[in-house]
Amino acid sequence: MAVQKIVVDPVTRIEGHLRVEVEVENGVVKNAWSHGTMFRGFEQLLKGKDPRDASYVTERVCGVCTCSHGLTSALTLDQAFGAQVPEGGRLIRNLILGAIWLHDHPLHFYHLSALDYLDVMAVAQYQGNDKGLLGVKDKILKLVQMGDTSPLTPRYEPDQFCVRDPEIVLSAVSHYLKALEIQAKAKKMCAIFAGKIPHNSSMVVGGVTKYPNLQDLDNFRTLLKEVGDFVRDVYVPDVLAFGTGPLLPLAQAGVGGFGNFLAYGWFPNDKDGKDMMFKAGVVMDGQIGKTREFDSNKILEEVKYSWYEDTEALHPSKGVTRYLADKKEAYSWMKAPRYDGKPMEVGPLARMLVQQHKPVLDLVTKYKIKPGAVARHAARAVETLLLLEHVEKWLNELYELMGKGDLKIHDTEHWDPPKEASGMGLSEAPRGALGHWIEIKEQKIANYQLVVPSTWNLSPRDGKDQRGPVEEALIGAPVPDPKNPINVVRIIRSFDPCISCAVHLIEPETNEILEFRIG
Amino acid sequence: MGPIEKLAAKGVSRRDFVKLCAATTAAFGLSKVFVPQVVEAAETAVKKPAVIWLEGQDCAGCSESLLATLKPDAATLVLDVISLRYHETIMAGAGEHAEEARRKTMEEGGYVLVVEGSIPLADDRFCKIGGKSFREMLLETAKNAAAIVAVGACATYGGIPKAGPTNAAGVLDVIKDKPVINLPMCPGKPSQLVATLLYFITFKRAPELDKYGRPKVFYSNLLHDNCPRRGHFENGQFLTDWNDPSQKEWCLLMKGCKGPKTYTDCAQVWWNDGANFCINAGSPCSGCAQPEFYADFNPLYTKTEMFNLPGLGQMNVDSLGKAIGGLAAAGVAVHLAGKLITGNGSEKDSKGVGK
């Protein structure tokens, strides 16, 4: 059978604009390319600006990972300015981030992914008596009767991995609707300390701007109870029930991937950041159980297949960005970050494997799950539980701190920009390892670089022609019907791509690959 | 089927729906007598209004902001109130299915086009979707739209990308032959978008706009005039230390607040279901509702040296606290009163609205 090229553009239900091309032979993906197709130039526009603006501006890099960039930029500035964030500032930053993660992970499962695993229209066959479920069934049937089921259709045709049991589907759809409310409440929780969400204004160099009162903490706690109950009683059980039940064959199939995992670690439990909730570390070649120490000096960015002037592989602190749109062999404006020369997967699965989190390892062992789309969803759910426990703990610590009086939230001594300095901020965003680097000259930004989770995951090939992690993860994916590449989008979405963050890329027409549009 | 049954059939609780319509009329400064008209317009619509939501140079923050709505909740909005035909971040379909949904809706016509994100005028290749440039996609989709709403700072005036190398512009710089309703801010505010959509469904036209294309009901008031910290401004109490609890409600002018240059409803309508807004979180206003944001409004955290305070002329910040004595304060009060929106103008507006 001839090789067929399939183009999915736009890849929807992700953040940002993504085009993915795969070559399929005998019903299996043999090769893959991922292209981001939008460019804004954040790094360039920051040059010459007041360094303090960076946390506000980079917050706007992404409206889904909102707060992650604001935080990481603030960390970068903290280091450059020599600022020491007081305890209150650390706890409030943790609560802001914690709340937004509690919004982000359930939203990713229900609203960005679940429709790939459900035959939503199966709800019509539900014959049970559950009042709540019947209400949801009626809601969907009314849409069908009105002849307008947007945005649930059109869609790829459900395949053999789609759940069709009417009761399971109906309960999942009802949770989809409930999760819409829960993610809005988690955002509200976040806004109590963040000002508003998306796009917090509270995290600045040195700490936060929101001086809380007890009423704020009480409001946060009330919402946390509701969101936490949903995470514990609905979201996590749903993911695990799907992963170890109807989707188990998919979970055990795994497919694709290098087995290289990277985490920078984040969520400090103490003042010095020695005790992190998520640990930093590296797993190579699928050697789970052998976590190596992380060394930020081993991060280099390559540009062989990127539209930039060829340079040697550079550390982001020395990163340069000179366009070369006519570079023939290039196919992406994304650089290719590599760790110790290797492409690395980042995100929930990477974090859980790096710190050898027992509940995830137990699951993997018990059900013989391989790294793949289902494993990523499961790791995401399990780490949400871990985070939830910590958010509850940090909130209690903030109550205690306020009870003692003399709450400090900001390092006011280090508010003015230094004349010359550099800084690095490393943290974990919901989608994986996130780093910012700054160089300050004459109290202005001289250079600003971001290496974001989706650049790690969606990067193009590097100098040694190694594929990026998502490109590699697609290899071997079954696509029995080229018009219905549902497995391709399942795998891409399991990485929770955030393309706005990742793009330093455009796609000149001259380099366009011959295109066979699907459908 | 009576109206209540019809609503129940649509899956919307009557109480919530009426509340939503009442909120819309209130948002537009309309008298309560118009509530039934809004309810009826939404109820009697044979079909839910189709919406195409395009994303250009965006961050999906405006989409996330819409999903942050709790009154109405996002599920009601997305499934019961509107028919969301195309939205990259939410829709089930991908690739050709997504394009097909957009094409079909364009052929039907009469849809509302919502635009999030800026348009790179420097080079079409800076933003492509489905193999097409976003600029072409926007022109094509605007053609048969009944209304165009640009939401967020990027889609309205270019926003943060405008400060970058792509010559990022707002919708009005591309669509020259049709009216565009601008709902700026970063991100766009869900309460404004929902109210604007319902207003359009009811009255079949755009609300009254200011010179920047913004609905006057949301953007006629200077934030500074309505700021909860205004009293501290007049007393010359400016926050200099975020750690000092005695300063925590003080004026943020020294921290760069753009409130004296920014027209917005933020002081009256807080974000995230009324949870908070920037100034209440101790953060200076960045002026994200203004066309000057961000290119002409930076640096963000340095006090604005000179600004035009209505009624007082050009003022130097340092002298302001002292300058505002009893007489000047009275002047400000008179000025404020003159700017308050009265119900009269709005009621006149609604005359001639066909059913």
Side-chain angles (χ1 to χ4, degrees):
Chain A
M1 196 176 164
V3 175
Q4 256 177 307
K5 180 161 278 185
I6 301 171
V7 177
V8 184
D9 183 7
V11 178
T12 53
R13 276 185 282 125
I14 60 164
E15 195 293 319
H17 304 298
L18 179 70
R19 169 191 182 95
V20 165
E21 301 169 359
V22 294
E23 278 178 359
V24 175
E25 194 175 8
N26 298 324
V28 173
V29 173
K30 292 290 182 198
N31 218 341
W33 297 263
S34 85
H35 307 237
T37 55
M38 187 269 280
F39 172 80
R40 289 172 294 178
F42 269 72
E43 289 159 341
Q44 289 90 329
L45 78 83
L46 279 169
K47 280 188 187 170
K49 299 292 191 296
D50 186 318
R52 291 170 296 191
D53 285 10
S55 59
Y56 182 96
V57 171
T58 60
E59 171 80 2
R60 271 87 182 151
V61 164
C62 177
V64 182
C65 332
T66 181
C67 301
S68 295
H69 285 284
L71 168 81
T72 307
S73 184
L75 296 174
T76 309
L77 298 175
D78 289 345
Q79 194 181 77
F81 283 47
Q84 300 291 321
V85 179
E87 280 296 87
R90 171 182 69 85
L91 289 169
I92 293 170
R93 282 181 177 182
N94 278 359
L95 292 175
I96 290 174
L97 265 293
I100 209 66
W101 282 52
L102 292 176
H103 129 276
D104 206 317
H105 279 5
L107 179 133
H108 175 258
F109 178 69
Y110 289 105
H111 308 118
L112 304 184
S113 301
L115 294 176
D116 296 335
Y117 299 95
L118 297 172
D119 181 1
V120 174
M121 296 308 150
V123 299
Q125 269 76 51
Y126 176 69
Q127 301 298 333
N129 304 314
D130 186 285
K131 265 197 176 162
L133 292 185
L134 283 172
V136 176
K137 177 184 171 181
D138 284 349
K139 195 179 181 88
I140 302 296
L141 285 188
K142 287 283 159 2
L143 297 177
V144 176
Q145 283 160 11
M146 289 167 78
D148 188 350
T149 44
S150 308
L152 302 173
T153 60
R155 55 176 181 167
Y156 288 136
E157 283 309 306
D159 67 357
Q160 75 269 29
F161 296 117
C162 274
V163 178
R164 291 161 197 266
D165 179 293
E167 189 166 348
I168 299 179
V169 174
L170 193 48
S171 99
V173 172
S174 74
H175 297 163
Y176 174 105
L177 298 176
K178 183 68 187 172
L180 272 175
E181 180 192 332
I182 291 297
Q183 58 83 29
K185 286 189 169 158
K187 283 175 184 151
K188 183 175 180 178
M189 221 168 113
C190 186
I192 291 169
F193 299 119
K196 67 175 168 54
I197 290 299
H199 297 330
N200 99 89
S201 54
S202 184
M203 285 187 290
V204 294
V205 55
V208 295
T209 66
K210 172 66 184 173
Y211 197 96
N213 54 41
L214 285 176
Q215 185 64 49
D216 295 323
L217 273 63
D218 291 347
N219 292 343
F220 190 92
R221 183 161 64 182
T222 305
L223 287 161
L224 178 60
K225 173 80 173 69
E226 191 180 350
V227 172
D229 284 351
F230 180 83
V231 166
R232 285 196 173 98
D233 300 341
V234 182
Y235 165 54
V236 175
D238 268 0
V239 175
L240 299 185
F242 271 76
T244 61
L247 301 183
L248 190 58
L250 208 58
Q252 292 172 334
V255 312
F258 291 109
N260 300 334
F261 300 96
L262 168 68
Y264 295 161
W266 187 242
F267 286 111
N269 277 316
D270 61 355
K271 198 165 182 262
D272 308 324
K274 286 189 177 129
D275 174 17
M276 293 285 188
M277 184 190 88
F278 290 132
K279 315 295 178 205
V282 178
V283 171
M284 287 292 190
D285 305 319
Q287 293 176 322
I288 292 154
K290 279 181 71 178
T291 299
R292 305 174 197 194
E293 205 170 315
F294 161 69
D295 173 5
S296 69
N297 291 318
K298 291 185 175 174
I299 303 169
L300 296 177
E301 289 195 295
E302 304 190 13
V303 293
K304 180 177 174 188
Y305 290 100
S306 314
W307 281 301
Y308 297 105
E309 270 180 33
D310 277 319
T311 60
E312 54 184 339
L314 291 173
H315 189 263
S317 61
K318 307 281 174 221
V320 290
T321 310
R322 276 187 228 112
Y323 300 157
L324 194 59
D326 298 326
K327 191 169 160 183
K328 285 296 174 207
E329 67 273 35
Y331 66 93
S332 177
W333 279 82
M334 205 180 311
K335 295 176 183 176
R338 295 295 184 259
Y339 181 85
D340 214 4
K342 297 283 169 56
M344 309 296 290
E345 173 172 343
V346 299
L349 184 60
R351 285 190 285 262
M352 294 292 95
L353 295 180
V354 159
Q355 71 192 63
Q356 300 171 36
H357 190 53
K358 196 165 179 303
V360 170
L361 296 188
D362 288 350
L363 255 178
V364 167
T365 313
K366 184 174 174 192
Y367 293 97
K368 301 185 174 59
I369 295 172
K370 287 188 189 155
V374 176
R376 286 184 202 103
H377 287 294
R380 191 172 285 114
V382 174
E383 76 169 14
T384 312
L385 271 185
L386 180 69
L387 178 71
L388 179 59
E389 288 162 13
H390 280 77
V391 172
E392 289 162 349
K393 185 187 80 149
W394 298 322
L395 181 63
N396 287 334
E397 287 173 8
L398 186 58
Y399 269 112
E400 279 171 34
L401 196 61
M402 287 179 69
K404 286 183 199 157
D406 197 30
L407 177 74
K408 293 270 186 283
I409 59 169
H410 189 255
D411 180 354
T412 307
E413 297 303 307
H414 293 90
W415 174 242
D416 291 324
K419 203 156 185 300
E420 293 206 0
S422 59
M424 170 177 76
L426 300 177
S427 80
E428 291 288 328
R431 332 187 133 68
L434 171 63
H436 286 204
W437 285 262
I438 195 172
E439 203 187 336
I440 298 169
K441 282 184 183 159
E442 299 297 324
Q443 296 190 304
K444 303 279 188 232
I445 298 175
N447 197 9
Y448 203 97
Q449 294 283 323
L450 305 92
V451 180
V452 312
S454 296
T455 314
W456 280 106
N457 285 334
L458 289 134
S459 70
R461 286 149 174 79
D462 58 27
K464 285 179 278 184
D465 288 1
Q466 298 178 98
R467 293 186 190 92
V470 168
E471 292 177 336
E472 183 71 16
L474 286 167
I475 307 301
V479 183
D481 177 2
K483 289 185 178 162
N484 206 45
I486 188 167
N487 280 324
V488 170
V489 291
R490 275 178 181 145
I491 290 167
I492 298 166
R493 287 182 183 130
S494 73
F495 283 89
D496 195 4
C498 205
I499 307 304
S500 288
C501 305
V503 281
H504 317 269
L505 41 123
I506 56 172
E507 188 195 359
E509 249 134 46
T510 47
N511 285 39
E512 193 156 328
I513 295 165
L514 190 61
E515 179 177 341
F516 299 86
R517 297 292 292 279
I518 55 163
Chain B
M1 211 192 274
I4 296 176
E5 289 75 18
K6 250 190 240 165
L7 276 174
K10 278 186 171 183
V12 185
S13 110
R14 172 76 181 180
R15 194 174 54 96
D16 288 351
F17 197 79
V18 172
K19 264 199 319 206
L20 167 63
C21 296
T24 299
T25 49
F28 280 97
L30 298 173
S31 151
K32 276 183 188 166
V33 299
F34 288 96
V35 175
Q37 192 181 336
V38 177
V39 173
E40 199 188 335
E43 279 179 1
T44 53
V46 183
K47 290 172 76 175
K48 295 181 291 179
V51 173
I52 295 179
W53 184 300
L54 296 183
E55 294 170 77
Q57 290 177 297
D58 75 321
C59 71
C62 296
S63 298
E64 277 275 10
S65 187
L66 181 70
L67 291 183
T69 178
L70 280 161
K71 294 186 190 83
D73 65 280
T76 300
L77 184 65
V78 170
L79 291 177
D80 300 324
V81 177
I82 60 169
S83 168
L84 190 56
R85 303 289 179 82
Y86 182 98
H87 190 307
E88 278 186 73
T89 315
I90 295 170
M91 69 191 303
E96 186 59 26
H97 286 303
E99 283 301 293
E100 179 196 320
R102 187 174 68 94
R103 267 199 307 271
K104 272 190 181 163
T105 309
M106 289 191 316
E107 280 163 22
E108 285 170 28
Y111 47 90
V112 177
L113 169 60
V114 180
V115 185
E116 170 180 7
S118 50
I119 305 102
L121 296 182
D123 191 326
D124 275 354
R125 294 174 296 182
F126 285 135
C127 188
K128 289 180 74 179
I129 299 145
K132 190 171 276 179
S133 81
F134 178 62
R135 191 184 56 81
E136 288 170 290
M137 189 181 192
L138 174 61
L139 282 167
E140 185 182 280
T141 317
K143 220 176 206 175
N144 291 339
I148 303 172
V149 183
V151 64
C154 302
T156 48
Y157 315 118
I160 286 180
K162 191 180 178 183
T166 65
N167 195 11
V171 175
L172 272 170
D173 291 314
V174 174
I175 307 293
K176 306 281 191 190
D177 56 345
K178 282 197 152 186
V180 174
I181 304 169
N182 278 337
L183 301 176
M185 299 216 263
C186 187
K189 209 176 200 177
S191 55
Q192 293 183 0
L193 180 59
V194 171
T196 301
L197 286 175
L198 274 175
Y199 186 96
F200 181 78
I201 292 167
T202 306
F203 300 116
K204 308 283 184 285
R205 58 177 168 74
E208 200 186 338
L209 306 176
D210 72 4
K211 64 177 172 178
Y212 297 120
R214 307 175 294 193
K216 284 187 174 173
V217 286
F218 308 133
Y219 293 97
S220 289
N221 291 321
L222 196 62
L223 177 55
H224 187 63
D225 287 346
N226 294 277
C227 184
R229 301 187 174 199
R230 177 63 184 245
H232 295 289
F233 165 81
E234 288 177 14
N235 289 335
Q237 293 171 321
F238 300 106
L239 185 147
T240 53
D241 181 1
W242 276 296
N243 287 317
D244 181 354
S246 68
Q247 295 187 21
K248 75 174 186 175
E249 302 293 335
W250 286 8
C251 177
L252 291 161
L253 213 54
M254 298 302 187
K255 293 294 183 189
C257 189
K258 306 291 185 283
K261 290 179 166 183
T262 303
Y263 290 81
T264 171
D265 65 355
C266 283
Q268 297 93 334
V269 184
W270 288 14
W271 293 74
N272 297 93
D273 196 35
N276 214 342
F277 86 113
C278 302
I279 285 176
N280 189 59
S283 309
C285 170
S286 63
C288 71
Q290 292 297 119
E292 296 92 332
F293 174 81
Y294 156 80
D296 299 323
F297 264 179
N298 73 82
L300 294 175
Y301 297 100
T302 306
K303 70 176 176 182
T304 308
E305 289 300 335
M306 300 290 286
F307 64 92
N308 190 12
L309 189 66
L312 293 175
Q314 292 279 325
M315 294 298 297
N316 183 297
V317 175
D318 290 330
S319 59
L320 260 179
K322 294 169 208 154
I324 299 180
L327 199 61
V332 171
V334 169
H335 165 76
L336 254 179
K339 293 189 58 173
L340 286 175
I341 295 175
T342 61
N344 296 338
S346 305
E347 286 188 27
K348 199 176 70 193
D349 281 352
S350 61
K351 272 184 190 161
V353 171
K355 281 193 197 175

